[in-house]
Amino acid sequence: MRRSVSVFVGVVLALCAIVTHAQQPPAGAPAAPAPASADAPAGRQAGPPAGRGRGGPPARIVTFEARPASIKPGESAMLVWLVENPGAPAIEPGVGRVVPRGTQRVTPSATTTYTLTNGDLTRSVTVTVAGTKPVAATAAAAPASKGITRTPDGKPDFSGVFAFGGGGGRGAGGGRGAGGGGAPAGPQLKPGAEKYRVQRGPLDTGRTSDCMPLPPPDAFGVPYQFQIIQNKDYLVIFHEYPGTFRIVPLDGEPHQVDPDPAWLGDSVGKWEGDTLVIDTIGYNDKTEISGYRHSEALHTVERLKRNEDGIDYEITIEDPNVFVAPFTQSRTFRFNVPPMKRIMEFICENNRDYRPLFGTQK
């Protein structure tokens, strides 16, 4: 899939700059979901929020069917659905939360009725398994705790596709966890380092308009998915936007000696029990982190821990040329639903300076 985002990003960002201070949501209105990044890129957008407030368009179930509806024991059927104005759509038994439009392969051992719920609406389809009796509705109990998956060598397996944004983020607060002495709640500039604070004017098209790489944690704050692939010796993180990746050795390899400054730095990983620690140095000074520019002395330490639904993520950020002390940010990331095997391609085309489009520069 090729995406041309240049003109669209310029228009959106320019309009946002004009109306941000003039247009506020009505009192009591639910806040729109937003990524950690204040100037997220254009392109394929995330679906609507789960649930709708009063006055919004009503939820609909456009279609829900099983293909085929009758199978033999051991065969599979495909559940196919489409909902509109989604209100936390889910399919039971056994599937759980789903995206507004999708498919899911099921292999029931007996005749099973699947029910799609969207807001207050429900619709059911039955997959008939030849020679079996229908599964009683009471049999579709909530599954027991499934624990976490592990690699053949016993390490937690982080492989999978993760939805953007995550949930349960604790912002910039919190400490390092066990063994750490705690870090201040947010970045504190050193005296004389005010030049590193990012100041954006109405003509600034934003840090994501040029599709250049984003370092952590900002790389996880855009409305696009990311994917992790892991084996015994390496963990690779792929970001759908802007099509970047990091290769993290897990075999005890040390940092390069005096690495050339790079957009995403030089990363190495190690295990502390079930926690994966990714240490990164060697950044260039061309990126931003949490609203601040930084020097080539930037150093980040990421701590990843598996939970049943995804990853608990914490990053400690330090730059002795910019910040008084290290600070941390924490959040969680959930596996995408329904389970996905790969992220999509994102290509930036014809990105350029947008100011001439608005008559502000020739």
Side-chain angles (χ1 to χ4, degrees), residues 2-362:
R2 295 177 64 83
R3 305 170 184 168
S4 179
V5 300
S6 57
V7 175
F8 184 76
V9 174
V11 172
V12 171
L13 291 174
L15 290 176
C16 288
I18 295 172
V19 305
T20 295
H21 299 292
Q23 204 170 32
Q24 298 294 331
S37 168
D39 49 352
R44 179 170 52 82
Q45 299 299 316
R52 292 278 173 172
R54 292 183 180 180
R60 292 183 60 204
I61 297 178
V62 179
T63 184
F64 182 43
E65 56 185 305
R67 302 177 184 173
S70 297
I71 60 176
K72 297 177 181 179
E75 293 182 342
S76 298
M78 190 74 72
L79 302 180
V80 182
W81 68 90
L82 171 62
V83 303
E84 292 182 350
N85 311 317
I91 299 174
E92 296 296 346
V95 178
R97 285 286 301 276
V98 296
V99 293
R101 178 177 184 175
T103 61
Q104 176 69 41
R105 186 177 298 278
V106 293
T107 310
S109 59
T111 297
T112 303
T113 297
Y114 296 90
T115 300
L116 168 63
T117 302
N118 186 34
D120 296 330
L121 303 178
T122 61
R123 185 177 298 183
S124 298
V125 297
T126 298
V127 178
T128 301
V129 181
T132 66
K133 295 182 180 180
V135 176
T138 54
S145 176
K146 57 183 178 293
I148 66 171
T149 58
R150 292 182 179 270
T151 61
D153 60 345
K155 298 298 185 182
D157 189 359
F158 294 96
S159 299
V161 177
F162 297 86
F164 78 88
R170 298 192 298 275
R176 282 285 300 271
Q188 299 179 6
L189 284 176
K190 295 182 67 173
E194 187 63 30
K195 66 180 181 180
Y196 288 100
R197 187 189 303 273
V198 176
Q199 303 286 350
R200 300 202 184 281
L203 301 183
D204 193 317
T205 54
R207 67 191 175 94
T208 59
S209 62
D210 59 5
C211 296
M212 300 305 287
L214 300 173
D218 293 33
F220 300 103
V222 294
Y224 295 87
Q225 302 154 129
F226 67 94
Q227 182 168 2
I228 294 178
I229 297 177
Q230 175 186 345
N231 63 23
K232 180 178 179 296
D233 296 323
Y234 295 96
L235 179 137
V236 185
I237 304 173
F238 298 90
H239 290 278
E240 186 171 277
Y241 174 90
T244 54
F245 62 89
R246 285 193 289 159
I247 301 176
V248 183
L250 303 178
D251 58 358
E253 177 181 325
H255 281 296
Q256 302 177 50
V257 177
D258 191 22
D260 290 333
W263 290 90
L264 301 179
D266 177 66
S267 295
V268 296
K270 67 177 181 178
W271 292 98
E272 293 182 358
D274 279 352
T275 299
L276 176 60
V277 180
I278 302 175
D279 188 286
T280 307
I281 62 173
Y283 290 102
N284 64 31
D285 60 0
K286 299 178 181 180
T287 60
E288 303 173 16
I289 285 187
S290 302
Y292 297 88
R293 303 189 188 282
H294 57 82
S295 72
E296 292 183 357
L298 177 67
H299 175 209
T300 63
V301 177
E302 299 162 277
R303 304 174 68 86
L304 284 67
K305 190 169 183 177
R306 269 298 311 271
N307 58 51
E308 289 189 5
D309 300 314
I311 296 175
D312 293 322
Y313 175 88
E314 178 186 274
I315 182 171
T316 299
I317 303 160
E318 62 177 327
D319 185 337
N321 297 321
V322 180
F323 305 115
V324 171
F327 63 97
T328 64
Q329 293 184 349
S330 304
R331 61 193 314 175
T332 59
F333 298 104
R334 297 183 182 276
F335 289 111
N336 221 331
V337 291
M340 297 180 65
K341 294 185 178 180
R342 57 189 176 185
I343 58 176
M344 300 178 70
E345 182 181 67
F346 189 106
I347 303 297
C348 281
E349 295 182 288
N350 195 31
N351 277 28
R352 58 183 182 179
D353 189 339
Y354 306 112
R355 287 173 291 181
L357 299 176
F358 302 96
T360 54
Q361 177 177 308
K362 295 183 178 180

